[in-house]
């Protein structure tokens, strides 16, 4: 497991720029679900990143690079780290430096 996932600290190589959140709240069921699109700036390429996820169930994570014409959307393998209250998103290849977006479905 990578250091940022075990320490609970998030990588400084991935800086959020903006968030777009679509949230559905069902008070009668005491539940919610949603989708978030996070625009990020990547300062060092990597094939993983960690995010805080206390009390969230992440069903799907996808990454889209907006600067690399050769880069296609990639689905992430999601690893839950309860002790650090984070999830680790591992991608099949390195994410290049520059702008990208992460899409997450959660409940």
């Amino acid at each position: 497991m990578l250091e940022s996932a075990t320490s609970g600290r998030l990588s400084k190589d991935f800086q959020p720029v903006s968030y777009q959140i679509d949230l559905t709240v069902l008070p009668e069921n005491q539940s919610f679900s949603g989708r978030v699109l996070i625009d990020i700036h990547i300062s060092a390429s990597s094939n993983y990143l960690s995010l805080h996820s206390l009390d969230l169930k992440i069903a799907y994570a996808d990454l889209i690079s907006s600067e690399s014409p050769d880069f296609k959307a990639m689905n992430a393998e999601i690893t839950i780290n309860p002790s650090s209250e984070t999830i680790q998103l591992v991608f099949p290849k390195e994410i290049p430096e520059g702008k990208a977006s992460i899409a997450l479905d959660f409940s």
Side-chain angles (χ1 to χ4, degrees):
M1 188 178 304
L2 303 167
E3 192 275 328
S4 65
T6 57
S7 71
R9 300 229 179 241
L10 303 183
S11 171
K12 294 186 187 322
D13 296 333
F14 295 88
Q15 295 295 316
V17 175
S18 67
Y19 295 83
Q20 297 174 32
I21 300 174
D22 179 23
L23 185 62
T24 301
V25 179
L26 301 171
E28 64 276 7
N29 296 337
Q30 296 184 356
S31 67
F32 63 90
S33 64
R35 180 173 184 82
V36 62
L37 182 66
I38 307 169
D39 292 330
I40 59 174
H41 181 267
I42 303 164
S43 59
S45 62
S46 177
N47 73 323
Y48 78 95
L49 64 102
S50 297
L51 300 170
H52 291 292
S53 64
L54 180 62
D55 296 331
L56 292 178
K57 295 177 186 154
I58 308 298
Y60 177 84
D62 198 22
L63 184 127
I64 304 150
S65 175
S66 63
E67 292 193 332
S68 175
D70 298 327
F71 187 88
K72 304 291 183 206
M74 287 191 292
N75 189 255
E77 178 182 325
I78 302 168
T79 303
I80 301 167
N81 302 301
S83 62
S84 62
E85 300 173 348
T86 62
I87 58 168
Q88 187 172 34
L89 306 179
V90 180
F91 298 94
K93 64 179 188 177
E94 281 206 350
I95 307 160
E97 294 178 19
K99 295 178 183 175
S101 297
I102 303 168
L104 300 167
D105 291 340
F106 62 90
S107 60

